[in-house]
mmCIF file of all heavy atoms in Angstrom:
data_model
loop_
_atom_site.group_PDB
_atom_site.id
_atom_site.type_symbol
_atom_site.label_atom_id
_atom_site.label_comp_id
_atom_site.label_asym_id
_atom_site.label_seq_id
_atom_site.Cartn_x
_atom_site.Cartn_y
_atom_site.Cartn_z
ATOM 1 N N ILE P 1 18.291 265.507 181.641
ATOM 2 C CA ILE P 1 17.892 266.597 180.757
ATOM 3 C C ILE P 1 18.761 266.556 179.528
ATOM 4 O O ILE P 1 19.980 266.669 179.618
ATOM 5 C CB ILE P 1 18.035 267.946 181.472
ATOM 6 C CG1 ILE P 1 17.202 267.929 182.762
ATOM 7 C CG2 ILE P 1 17.657 269.088 180.578
ATOM 8 C CD1 ILE P 1 17.289 269.181 183.543
ATOM 9 N N HIS P 2 18.179 266.373 178.366
ATOM 10 C CA HIS P 2 18.887 266.386 177.095
ATOM 11 C C HIS P 2 18.306 267.512 176.268
ATOM 12 O O HIS P 2 17.171 267.417 175.790
ATOM 13 C CB HIS P 2 18.715 265.035 176.360
ATOM 14 C CG HIS P 2 19.217 263.862 177.175
ATOM 15 N ND1 HIS P 2 20.538 263.526 177.276
ATOM 16 C CD2 HIS P 2 18.532 262.960 177.949
ATOM 17 C CE1 HIS P 2 20.677 262.451 178.045
ATOM 18 N NE2 HIS P 2 19.455 262.092 178.467
ATOM 19 N N GLY P 3 19.098 268.619 176.150
ATOM 20 C CA GLY P 3 18.560 269.799 175.478
ATOM 21 C C GLY P 3 17.465 270.375 176.319
ATOM 22 O O GLY P 3 17.663 270.747 177.456
ATOM 23 N N SER P 4 16.245 270.437 175.771
ATOM 24 C CA SER P 4 15.107 270.948 176.526
ATOM 25 C C SER P 4 14.112 269.849 176.846
ATOM 26 O O SER P 4 13.029 270.112 177.323
ATOM 27 C CB SER P 4 14.398 272.051 175.713
ATOM 28 O OG SER P 4 13.970 271.523 174.471
ATOM 29 N N VAL P 5 14.515 268.596 176.570
ATOM 30 C CA VAL P 5 13.611 267.466 176.808
ATOM 31 C C VAL P 5 13.950 266.840 178.155
ATOM 32 O O VAL P 5 15.103 266.484 178.424
ATOM 33 C CB VAL P 5 13.743 266.405 175.690
ATOM 34 C CG1 VAL P 5 12.795 265.246 175.966
ATOM 35 C CG2 VAL P 5 13.467 267.041 174.353
ATOM 36 N N VAL P 6 12.988 266.722 179.023
ATOM 37 C CA VAL P 6 13.176 266.155 180.349
ATOM 38 C C VAL P 6 12.705 264.718 180.342
ATOM 39 O O VAL P 6 11.579 264.423 179.970
ATOM 40 C CB VAL P 6 12.400 266.960 181.407
ATOM 41 C CG1 VAL P 6 12.599 266.335 182.781
ATOM 42 C CG2 VAL P 6 12.833 268.413 181.399
ATOM 43 N N LYS P 7 13.619 263.805 180.741
ATOM 44 C CA LYS P 7 13.276 262.390 180.811
ATOM 45 C C LYS P 7 13.563 261.897 182.224
ATOM 46 O O LYS P 7 14.655 262.109 182.744
ATOM 47 C CB LYS P 7 14.099 261.570 179.817
ATOM 48 C CG LYS P 7 13.812 261.951 178.357
ATOM 49 C CD LYS P 7 14.616 261.087 177.421
ATOM 50 C CE LYS P 7 14.309 261.428 175.966
ATOM 51 N NZ LYS P 7 15.090 260.606 175.013
ATOM 52 N N PHE P 8 12.569 261.282 182.860
ATOM 53 C CA PHE P 8 12.751 260.748 184.201
ATOM 54 C C PHE P 8 13.313 259.339 184.132
ATOM 55 O O PHE P 8 12.968 258.563 183.235
ATOM 56 C CB PHE P 8 11.415 260.728 184.967
ATOM 57 C CG PHE P 8 10.949 262.094 185.363
ATOM 58 C CD1 PHE P 8 10.155 262.856 184.516
ATOM 59 C CD2 PHE P 8 11.344 262.616 186.590
ATOM 60 C CE1 PHE P 8 9.745 264.113 184.895
ATOM 61 C CE2 PHE P 8 10.914 263.883 186.961
ATOM 62 C CZ PHE P 8 10.121 264.630 186.116
ATOM 63 N N GLN P 9 14.249 259.043 185.088
ATOM 64 C CA GLN P 9 14.749 257.689 185.213
ATOM 65 C C GLN P 9 14.583 257.240 186.645
ATOM 66 O O GLN P 9 14.364 258.044 187.540
ATOM 67 C CB GLN P 9 16.227 257.624 184.819
ATOM 68 C CG GLN P 9 17.161 258.357 185.776
ATOM 69 C CD GLN P 9 18.598 258.180 185.362
ATOM 70 O OE1 GLN P 9 18.895 258.021 184.181
ATOM 71 N NE2 GLN P 9 19.496 258.194 186.335
ATOM 72 N N HIS P 10 14.700 255.952 186.868
ATOM 73 C CA HIS P 10 14.543 255.429 188.221
ATOM 74 C C HIS P 10 15.687 255.937 189.103
ATOM 75 O O HIS P 10 16.852 255.800 188.729
ATOM 76 C CB HIS P 10 14.554 253.897 188.189
ATOM 77 C CG HIS P 10 14.277 253.298 189.544
ATOM 78 N ND1 HIS P 10 13.039 253.330 190.129
ATOM 79 C CD2 HIS P 10 15.113 252.674 190.422
ATOM 80 C CE1 HIS P 10 13.095 252.741 191.313
ATOM 81 N NE2 HIS P 10 14.350 252.339 191.516
ATOM 82 N N PRO P 11 15.411 256.570 190.233
ATOM 83 C CA PRO P 11 16.467 257.152 191.052
ATOM 84 C C PRO P 11 17.365 256.095 191.684
ATOM 85 O O PRO P 11 16.884 255.039 192.110
ATOM 86 C CB PRO P 11 15.696 257.913 192.127
ATOM 87 C CG PRO P 11 14.380 257.216 192.224
ATOM 88 C CD PRO P 11 14.068 256.750 190.836
ATOM 89 N N LEU P 12 18.662 256.392 191.741
ATOM 90 C CA LEU P 12 19.596 255.518 192.441
ATOM 91 C C LEU P 12 19.481 255.771 193.936
ATOM 92 O O LEU P 12 19.427 256.930 194.375
ATOM 93 C CB LEU P 12 21.025 255.792 191.973
ATOM 94 C CG LEU P 12 21.314 255.454 190.509
ATOM 95 C CD1 LEU P 12 22.715 255.907 190.151
ATOM 96 C CD2 LEU P 12 21.156 253.964 190.250
ATOM 97 N N PRO P 13 19.430 254.731 194.740
ATOM 98 C CA PRO P 13 19.224 254.927 196.178
ATOM 99 C C PRO P 13 20.492 255.448 196.859
ATOM 100 O O PRO P 13 21.607 255.212 196.407
ATOM 101 C CB PRO P 13 18.879 253.519 196.674
ATOM 102 C CG PRO P 13 19.603 252.610 195.721
ATOM 103 C CD PRO P 13 19.545 253.285 194.382
ATOM 104 N N MET P 14 20.292 256.183 197.967
ATOM 105 C CA MET P 14 21.406 256.575 198.821
ATOM 106 C C MET P 14 21.980 255.331 199.483
ATOM 107 O O MET P 14 21.246 254.368 199.766
ATOM 108 C CB MET P 14 20.938 257.563 199.898
ATOM 109 C CG MET P 14 20.478 258.905 199.353
ATOM 110 S SD MET P 14 21.851 259.900 198.807
ATOM 111 C CE MET P 14 21.074 261.527 198.723
ATOM 112 N N ASP P 15 23.284 255.331 199.760
ATOM 113 C CA ASP P 15 23.937 254.157 200.350
ATOM 114 C C ASP P 15 23.665 254.140 201.856
ATOM 115 O O ASP P 15 24.371 254.764 202.650
ATOM 116 C CB ASP P 15 25.437 254.208 200.074
ATOM 117 C CG ASP P 15 26.135 252.897 200.457
ATOM 118 O OD1 ASP P 15 25.465 252.045 201.075
ATOM 119 O OD2 ASP P 15 27.327 252.756 200.132
ATOM 120 N N ILE P 16 22.610 253.415 202.241
ATOM 121 C CA ILE P 16 22.187 253.391 203.640
ATOM 122 C C ILE P 16 23.196 252.695 204.525
ATOM 123 O O ILE P 16 23.315 252.976 205.719
ATOM 124 C CB ILE P 16 20.792 252.707 203.753
ATOM 125 C CG1 ILE P 16 20.170 252.982 205.133
ATOM 126 C CG2 ILE P 16 20.926 251.216 203.490
ATOM 127 C CD1 ILE P 16 19.743 254.397 205.297
ATOM 128 N N THR P 17 23.976 251.764 203.942
ATOM 129 C CA THR P 17 24.939 251.008 204.749
ATOM 130 C C THR P 17 26.086 251.889 205.254
ATOM 131 O O THR P 17 26.739 251.546 206.245
ATOM 132 C CB THR P 17 25.530 249.844 203.935
ATOM 133 O OG1 THR P 17 26.231 250.369 202.795
ATOM 134 C CG2 THR P 17 24.422 248.917 203.443
ATOM 135 N N MET P 18 26.320 253.006 204.568
ATOM 136 C CA MET P 18 27.413 253.884 204.963
ATOM 137 C C MET P 18 26.994 254.909 206.009
ATOM 138 O O MET P 18 27.843 255.602 206.575
ATOM 139 C CB MET P 18 27.951 254.626 203.730
ATOM 140 C CG MET P 18 28.616 253.738 202.709
ATOM 141 S SD MET P 18 30.108 252.961 203.378
ATOM 142 C CE MET P 18 31.134 254.397 203.630
ATOM 143 N N LEU P 19 25.696 254.996 206.291
ATOM 144 C CA LEU P 19 25.211 256.047 207.175
ATOM 145 C C LEU P 19 25.794 255.972 208.591
ATOM 146 O O LEU P 19 26.223 257.000 209.132
ATOM 147 C CB LEU P 19 23.683 256.007 207.216
ATOM 148 C CG LEU P 19 22.991 257.265 207.773
ATOM 149 C CD1 LEU P 19 23.453 258.501 207.034
ATOM 150 C CD2 LEU P 19 21.483 257.120 207.680
ATOM 151 N N PRO P 20 25.860 254.785 209.231
ATOM 152 C CA PRO P 20 26.438 254.758 210.590
ATOM 153 C C PRO P 20 27.890 255.243 210.633
ATOM 154 O O PRO P 20 28.269 255.991 211.532
ATOM 155 C CB PRO P 20 26.327 253.284 210.986
ATOM 156 C CG PRO P 20 25.204 252.757 210.175
ATOM 157 C CD PRO P 20 25.299 253.475 208.854
ATOM 158 N N SER P 21 28.699 254.800 209.652
ATOM 159 C CA SER P 21 30.103 255.220 209.649
ATOM 160 C C SER P 21 30.226 256.719 209.360
ATOM 161 O O SER P 21 31.120 257.399 209.881
ATOM 162 C CB SER P 21 30.897 254.409 208.623
ATOM 163 O OG SER P 21 30.370 254.598 207.317
ATOM 164 N N ILE P 22 29.318 257.253 208.522
ATOM 165 C CA ILE P 22 29.327 258.696 208.245
ATOM 166 C C ILE P 22 29.005 259.483 209.508
ATOM 167 O O ILE P 22 29.688 260.463 209.846
ATOM 168 C CB ILE P 22 28.311 259.029 207.134
ATOM 169 C CG1 ILE P 22 28.789 258.467 205.790
ATOM 170 C CG2 ILE P 22 28.089 260.537 207.029
ATOM 171 C CD1 ILE P 22 27.761 258.569 204.685
ATOM 172 N N ILE P 23 27.958 259.042 210.240
ATOM 173 C CA ILE P 23 27.570 259.733 211.471
ATOM 174 C C ILE P 23 28.698 259.676 212.500
ATOM 175 O O ILE P 23 28.995 260.660 213.187
ATOM 176 C CB ILE P 23 26.273 259.125 212.035
ATOM 177 C CG1 ILE P 23 25.107 259.387 211.067
ATOM 178 C CG2 ILE P 23 25.966 259.675 213.420
ATOM 179 C CD1 ILE P 23 23.816 258.710 211.460
ATOM 180 N N LEU P 24 29.369 258.517 212.603
ATOM 181 C CA LEU P 24 30.481 258.371 213.541
ATOM 182 C C LEU P 24 31.637 259.301 213.175
ATOM 183 O O LEU P 24 32.228 259.959 214.043
ATOM 184 C CB LEU P 24 30.953 256.916 213.568
ATOM 185 C CG LEU P 24 32.128 256.613 214.520
ATOM 186 C CD1 LEU P 24 31.728 256.926 215.957
ATOM 187 C CD2 LEU P 24 32.548 255.144 214.388
ATOM 188 N N ALA P 25 31.945 259.378 211.880
ATOM 189 C CA ALA P 25 33.034 260.245 211.434
ATOM 190 C C ALA P 25 32.731 261.717 211.722
ATOM 191 O O ALA P 25 33.618 262.487 212.104
ATOM 192 C CB ALA P 25 33.285 260.040 209.941
ATOM 193 N N ILE P 26 31.471 262.092 211.548
ATOM 194 C CA ILE P 26 31.085 263.479 211.840
ATOM 195 C C ILE P 26 31.187 263.768 213.333
ATOM 196 O O ILE P 26 31.675 264.824 213.751
ATOM 197 C CB ILE P 26 29.646 263.738 211.342
ATOM 198 C CG1 ILE P 26 29.588 263.647 209.806
ATOM 199 C CG2 ILE P 26 29.139 265.095 211.814
ATOM 200 C CD1 ILE P 26 28.183 263.665 209.258
ATOM 201 N N ALA P 27 30.752 262.802 214.151
ATOM 202 C CA ALA P 27 30.751 262.994 215.597
ATOM 203 C C ALA P 27 32.162 263.110 216.166
ATOM 204 O O ALA P 27 32.363 263.690 217.241
ATOM 205 C CB ALA P 27 30.012 261.849 216.285
ATOM 206 N N GLU P 28 33.157 262.570 215.467
ATOM 207 C CA GLU P 28 34.536 262.611 215.961
ATOM 208 C C GLU P 28 35.201 263.972 215.764
ATOM 209 O O GLU P 28 36.251 264.235 216.346
ATOM 210 C CB GLU P 28 35.375 261.537 215.261
ATOM 211 C CG GLU P 28 35.015 260.116 215.691
ATOM 212 C CD GLU P 28 35.800 259.074 214.920
ATOM 213 O OE1 GLU P 28 36.400 259.450 213.877
ATOM 214 O OE2 GLU P 28 35.825 257.918 215.348
ATOM 215 N N GLN P 29 34.603 264.820 214.955
ATOM 216 C CA GLN P 29 35.202 266.124 214.673
ATOM 217 C C GLN P 29 34.981 267.077 215.850
ATOM 218 O O GLN P 29 33.930 267.060 216.481
ATOM 219 C CB GLN P 29 34.610 266.730 213.395
ATOM 220 C CG GLN P 29 34.723 265.828 212.174
ATOM 221 C CD GLN P 29 36.148 265.444 211.873
ATOM 222 O OE1 GLN P 29 37.061 266.267 211.963
ATOM 223 N NE2 GLN P 29 36.348 264.184 211.504
ATOM 224 N N ARG P 30 35.988 267.917 216.114
ATOM 225 C CA ARG P 30 35.908 268.851 217.233
ATOM 226 C C ARG P 30 35.521 270.263 216.786
ATOM 227 O O ARG P 30 34.762 270.934 217.470
ATOM 228 C CB ARG P 30 37.247 268.897 217.968
ATOM 229 C CG ARG P 30 37.608 267.606 218.693
ATOM 230 C CD ARG P 30 36.680 267.360 219.856
ATOM 231 N NE ARG P 30 37.064 266.227 220.652
ATOM 232 C CZ ARG P 30 37.878 266.275 221.696
ATOM 233 N NH1 ARG P 30 38.397 267.447 222.051
ATOM 234 N NH2 ARG P 30 38.179 265.213 222.390
ATOM 235 N N SER P 31 36.084 270.720 215.689
ATOM 236 C CA SER P 31 35.807 272.090 215.248
ATOM 237 C C SER P 31 34.556 272.130 214.382
ATOM 238 O O SER P 31 34.220 271.157 213.699
ATOM 239 C CB SER P 31 36.993 272.657 214.470
ATOM 240 O OG SER P 31 37.072 272.088 213.188
ATOM 241 N N LEU P 32 33.890 273.270 214.379
ATOM 242 C CA LEU P 32 32.666 273.418 213.600
ATOM 243 C C LEU P 32 32.941 273.288 212.109
ATOM 244 O O LEU P 32 32.178 272.635 211.386
ATOM 245 C CB LEU P 32 32.024 274.774 213.914
ATOM 246 C CG LEU P 32 30.712 275.089 213.190
ATOM 247 C CD1 LEU P 32 29.649 274.036 213.498
ATOM 248 C CD2 LEU P 32 30.215 276.480 213.570
#
C-alpha cells in the first residue's frame, strides 16, 4: 500500500522446511 494506491505483489511463501522443528519446539513446552 503506497498512500491510497493498492498494488499486489507475488506473495512470499511460508518456510515449510521449518515447520517440523517449530512443531517439535512447541510440543516440548510444559506451561500454557
Side-chain angles (χ1 to χ4, degrees):
I1 303 179
H2 302 280
S4 59
V5 180
V6 179
K7 296 182 178 180
F8 288 89
Q9 67 177 30
H10 185 72
L12 295 174
M14 294 287 197
D15 190 351
I16 194 71
T17 62
M18 294 296 295
L19 196 54
S21 60
I22 291 172
I23 295 174
L24 180 61
I26 294 171
E28 289 176 345
Q29 305 302 319
R30 293 292 186 90
S31 74
L32 181 59

